[in-house]
Amino acid sequence: MATTPATGKYYPGWWVVAAGFIIFFFSFGGPTYSMSLLYNEVIAEFGWTRAEATGIYAWKGLTGALVAILVIGPAVQRFGLKPVFLTVLIIQALGFFTFLNVSSIATYFLAGFLIGLGQGAVLLCIKLMVARWFMRNVGFAGALALVGSSAGGVVFPIVIAALIPEIGWRMTYALIGVSILAVSVPLVLFVKQNPTEEDLLPETANAKGVLPSAEVAAATRAADIPMSYAELVRKPMFWGIMIGVLIIAGVDQGLFQNMQLYFVQEVGLTRETAAWLLSLTSAIGLASKFIAGKFFDVYSVKGIAAWYLLIAAMVLLAFQVSSLSTAIIFICALGLAHGGLVCEGPVLAKHVFGPRNMDKVLPIVTGCFALGSSIGPVTLAYIYDVNGHYVWGFALFAAMAFFAAFLLTFVRPLYRDRLRAATQTGVGEGAGMATPPATAKPSAAL
């Protein structure tokens, strides 16, 4: 039996993380961080309101949410992760090609519909691909892959801001589709997505000198929590997670997607400066993901609740933005809070419900995140259209972030606690690990 620890450079899960990083760069980071640069262009060309311009993000997010919640989980269980992954990448690329023919609000929203059909599922598929390889380092491994999103956010806004005046916004966004087909699709074809139990043992056993063994494997299996969809949806902790994720995603993306409009039309910054600030957000978010991933691995659900409070504090800072210097201060807070946020899904799903339920729970978590992301931007834009300012919107969003943190105080990492107890028992006893503590009714505490 191999004894290489999970943090060793030869653990194959880290190659999966590397592939996830690159896919995130082209298929999630670029599209997400660049979308807000589109709004000023379509408002100038078509004369649309802010709610109409940001409505594409609502279509994208809503479609992604419905696909993640209703389609991806069952599809992955039936057809496997790789075929589903390839399909959604191709659909996402087609969405960006649709920008070539945008001439009305209908075709504009059609592009958002197709992008959302793919992008929400892409995020989920990458999370599933990486999370399958990790337990003790699931937050950190997910963060490393998600850094690809922040890296894309650093590069793409600058590139797109430079290309739009040269080739137009339609062709510029179509090129994102080309990059997805050229890079992300080949990577998905060749990466190993289904680890065996033997593959996973080094990572599972990486705690206090515990080495991979048959006993550790037995303890890991015994700690898992068998549960059907019907049993999941009857658990209060399940709904606390889903509602909290939905709310915090709406707050985060609502603020993020409106920042370009806020900086250019309210604060008075140039579009070039606003694009530069967007890249700065991504650069800070890149470092933030490392911090958040480790933080969530150590503190689990409590750490995620604390991060939600950081989001609330970030929203409150938006009130103070009135110049370039205050915009930079706000962007630093936004980059820190926003950058670490998307690392929490795999941690919540796996620490609370265990690997056996990953394909059930993580799609719904991701779908709720996408649903919140779709509602938040257009809601904040609508509040502005009605009131002529963002004050009431910022106040509402700060209160919502506090409420999301409050909901997570009722959630505990049941599977993580069971796994720790089981493997620690196994280290002390050597064998007889098939029954960890509290296995009589594994779902009762949920």
Side-chain angles (χ1 to χ4, degrees):
M1 178 68 67
T3 60
T4 304
T7 53
K9 63 182 178 180
Y10 298 114
Y11 181 59
W14 298 115
W15 293 108
V16 177
V17 170
F21 174 96
I22 298 171
I23 297 170
F24 260 125
F25 180 90
F26 286 100
S27 305
F28 196 84
T32 298
Y33 285 89
S34 302
M35 193 64 70
S36 61
L37 296 175
L38 180 64
Y39 306 147
N40 282 311
E41 303 302 322
V42 297
I43 287 173
E45 180 171 332
F46 297 108
W48 294 336
T49 66
R50 295 187 186 202
E52 288 172 329
T54 59
I56 189 173
Y57 205 87
W59 275 102
K60 182 174 77 70
L62 179 61
T63 306
L66 293 176
V67 168
I69 293 172
L70 301 176
V71 178
I72 298 301
V76 167
Q77 291 181 341
R78 180 171 182 179
F79 302 108
L81 182 57
K82 184 172 290 188
V84 174
F85 207 161
L86 291 170
T87 300
V88 298
L89 282 170
I90 293 170
I91 293 173
Q92 185 188 21
L94 289 175
F96 283 103
F97 294 149
T98 303
F99 278 120
L100 293 171
N101 296 310
V102 169
S103 58
S104 65
I105 197 74
T107 50
Y108 181 64
F109 285 167
L110 174 62
F113 174 82
L114 292 172
I115 293 169
L117 200 62
Q119 189 176 353
V122 165
L123 173 62
L124 171 57
C125 288
I126 298 174
K127 286 181 176 181
L128 281 172
M129 182 178 74
V130 173
R132 286 180 174 184
W133 284 87
F134 295 90
M135 172 55 209
R136 299 188 185 278
N137 295 302
V138 64
F140 185 63
L144 288 177
L146 284 165
V147 164
S149 175
S150 294
V154 172
V155 174
F156 273 81
I158 296 173
V159 172
I160 286 178
L163 286 177
I164 286 175
E166 300 297 325
I167 62 176
W169 61 268
R170 291 175 175 83
M171 181 61 71
T172 298
Y173 282 89
L175 289 178
I176 297 177
V178 174
S179 69
I180 291 170
L181 293 181
V183 180
S184 298
V185 167
L187 276 174
V188 172
L189 283 170
F190 293 108
V191 72
K192 184 177 181 180
Q193 299 182 11
N194 298 303
T196 64
E197 185 177 83
E198 185 178 10
D199 289 332
L200 294 172
L201 277 179
E203 208 278 335
T204 303
N206 185 33
K208 298 181 180 180
V210 181
L211 297 179
S213 65
E215 289 78 14
V216 171
T220 302
R221 287 194 300 271
D224 215 341
I225 305 170
M227 199 177 302
S228 67
Y229 276 112
E231 290 172 320
L232 278 170
V233 299
R234 289 197 295 266
K235 306 303 177 183
M237 288 208 299
F238 174 86
W239 289 107
I241 290 172
M242 300 310 162
I243 296 172
V245 166
L246 186 148
I247 290 173
I248 206 68
V251 171
D252 173 66
Q253 282 299 319
L255 204 65
F256 190 84
Q257 292 298 320
N258 277 273
M259 278 305 97
Q260 290 295 300
L261 292 168
Y262 184 52
F263 287 156
V264 173
Q265 300 188 23
E266 304 303 312
V267 181
L269 304 179
T270 66
R271 295 183 184 183
E272 292 74 17
T273 300
W276 175 81
L277 288 173
L278 185 60
S279 291
L280 178 60
T281 306
S282 303
I284 296 171
L286 190 151
S288 175
K289 284 180 172 59
F290 291 102
I291 299 170
K294 273 297 182 185
F295 189 71
F296 297 162
D297 281 335
V298 174
Y299 297 103
S300 193
V301 179
K302 290 182 179 179
I304 295 169
W307 209 271
Y308 285 9
L309 292 176
L310 184 62
I311 294 286
M314 175 269 294
V315 177
L316 293 175
L317 280 176
F319 283 105
Q320 307 302 318
V321 178
S322 59
S323 63
L324 177 59
S325 59
T326 52
I328 291 174
I329 294 172
F330 168 71
I331 280 298
C332 291
L334 177 62
L336 176 65
H338 169 80
L341 186 61
V342 290
C343 303
E344 87 273 28
V347 178
L348 287 170
K350 206 159 196 178
H351 281 196
V352 178
F353 298 104
R356 187 176 298 187
N357 297 304
M358 278 287 293
D359 288 353
K360 302 186 190 82
V361 177
L362 190 53
I364 303 175
V365 172
T366 304
C368 287
F369 193 94
L371 182 60
S373 297
S374 70
I375 296 171
V378 71
T379 299
L380 189 57
Y382 177 77
I383 293 173
Y384 178 91
D385 288 339
V386 171
N387 297 285
H389 57 74
Y390 284 110
V391 173
W392 292 115
F394 289 164
L396 173 64
F397 277 35
M400 290 169 62
F402 279 114
F403 181 66
F406 171 75
L407 287 175
L408 288 194
T409 62
F410 299 97
V411 178
R412 68 183 182 90
L414 185 65
Y415 172 74
R416 189 198 66 162
D417 292 347
R418 288 164 56 83
L419 180 63
R420 283 182 172 180
T423 53
Q424 287 169 3
T425 300
V427 173
E429 299 176 2
M433 297 170 42
T435 307
T439 54
K441 292 184 179 181
S443 62
L446 291 166

